[in-house]
Amino acid sequence: EQEKKLNEIKHIQNLADNFSSAQNYKEAYEYILQLANLNTSDYNFSLPFKVYEYQTKLGYMYSEGLGVTVSKNIAAMWYSKASDLGSDIAKYNLAILYSTHIIGIPNKKPETSLAYDKSFLLYSEVINISDNTYIKSCASNAIGDMYFYGLGKLIDYEKAKGHYLNAVDLGSLAMDKKCKVKAESNLNLTNLEITKIKSLKNVTQGGTLIWGLEAPVKAIDPVWTTSTVTWRSSQLIYDSLQRLDTKYQY
């Protein structure tokens, strides 16, 4: 009887996987749903898969509208189930839903802050418990974004920089480098903001304005070239020297 039941489950799994591979999500849905609702304690044998894998798939289908009507709340429900069973991918995707869609709660400031707090905790859990360096890199980059843009946190460029550096280090160990590349770009922006703050602080104390541009200035004529660093340096140097002062004099 147990062997018969195991074969039935394997058959359902094959149907779910084959329809999913063919991107026929409407047909795949009922089989994935059956697998996602399985309770391992009901059987005296080990299932040939992790139930959370199919719960995560359902979450993704509802999040993206694959074979079903889009529902971020239902997606979050399945991601939560999968996360509780040990899926770090589901935990990461759930964090994204909290931070980008503010699921399950009105879009009011206190509740929005609460959603960001949940997102922050989930990203932190992924970094601490996952063995997947790619997911950890993405989660660290996401926390960096929260500090950089002030999403549920006070803007803190130094903390953002720390998380971006961690994302770069973790991404270097991953096969997929997408989040590493994002973190490197974000790190450059963060360093510019840190330099700007230090420079402005120096100026207010009677010092010299120091500005770190993102690339070498190879041409100084903003008419001859449309390079961003050229017109920025022109504004900082020539416009500052030749503009009117507070008495409208040169």
Side-chain angles (χ1 to χ4, degrees):
E1 181 66 27
Q2 291 292 318
E3 183 177 355
K4 180 181 178 182
K5 187 62 179 176
L6 176 59
N7 288 332
E8 289 177 358
I9 292 174
K10 286 182 176 179
H11 178 63
I12 295 172
Q13 182 187 14
N14 287 333
L15 290 171
D17 292 346
N18 289 337
F19 282 125
S20 294
S21 297
Q23 297 185 353
N24 188 347
Y25 296 106
K26 285 187 177 181
E27 293 293 338
Y29 174 78
E30 64 172 294
Y31 302 110
I32 293 175
L33 182 62
Q34 291 181 57
L35 298 173
N37 280 318
L38 290 178
N39 189 340
T40 55
S41 62
D42 292 339
Y43 309 104
N44 295 326
F45 54 83
S46 298
L47 295 174
F49 54 85
K50 299 291 186 182
V51 173
Y52 65 64
E53 294 173 357
Y54 291 93
Q55 293 175 337
T56 303
K57 284 186 178 181
L58 274 183
Y60 185 73
M61 288 170 67
Y62 274 106
S63 178
E64 302 300 317
L66 301 175
V68 294
T69 302
V70 172
S71 174
K72 302 300 181 182
N73 287 322
I74 297 179
M77 179 195 73
W78 284 112
Y79 281 147
S80 295
K81 288 177 180 288
S83 175
D84 291 342
L85 291 179
S87 172
D88 49 3
I89 296 176
K91 194 180 296 291
Y92 174 74
N93 288 344
L94 183 59
I96 293 175
L97 284 181
Y98 273 117
S99 62
T100 57
H101 298 286
I102 319 299
I103 53 176
I105 49 182
N107 190 18
K108 298 179 181 178
K109 190 171 183 179
E111 288 81 359
T112 300
S113 179
L114 178 63
Y116 282 130
D117 287 344
K118 289 182 179 179
S119 179
F120 184 88
L121 289 174
L122 288 167
Y123 284 134
S124 299
E125 287 179 19
V126 170
I127 295 170
N128 292 329
I129 69 176
S130 178
D131 294 325
N132 187 323
T133 52
Y134 172 69
I135 294 296
K136 292 175 73 168
S137 175
C138 294
S140 192
N141 181 67
I143 290 180
D145 284 345
M146 297 182 79
Y147 279 115
F148 186 88
Y149 295 106
L151 304 176
K153 301 288 179 185
L154 291 175
I155 291 177
D156 189 324
Y157 295 123
E158 291 293 346
K159 287 185 178 180
K161 180 178 179 178
H163 285 286
Y164 288 144
L165 285 170
N166 190 44
V168 171
D169 290 341
L170 289 167
S172 299
L173 304 174
M175 293 293 291
D176 194 328
K177 308 293 184 184
K178 290 178 184 177
C179 287
K180 175 180 179 291
V181 172
K182 288 181 181 178
E184 288 173 335
S185 176
N186 291 334
L187 186 58
N188 289 334
L189 293 174
T190 305
N191 283 331
L192 284 173
E193 291 298 330
I194 291 173
T195 300
K196 181 172 69 174
I197 290 172
K198 290 180 178 179
S199 298
L200 292 175
K201 183 178 180 180
N202 188 37
V203 170
T204 59
Q205 295 174 349
T208 302
L209 175 63
I210 301 173
W211 189 273
L213 295 169
E214 67 271 23
V217 181
K218 296 182 178 180
I220 62 172
D221 186 351
V223 176
W224 183 79
T225 177
T226 58
S227 172
T228 303
V229 293
T230 295
W231 65 255
R232 279 183 178 171
S233 64
S234 298
Q235 288 179 321
L236 288 167
I237 299 172
Y238 300 109
D239 284 3
S240 297
L241 292 175
Q242 299 178 28
R243 70 177 58 165
L244 296 173
D245 61 19
T246 55
K247 296 181 180 179
Y248 301 100
Q249 297 176 344
Y250 284 104

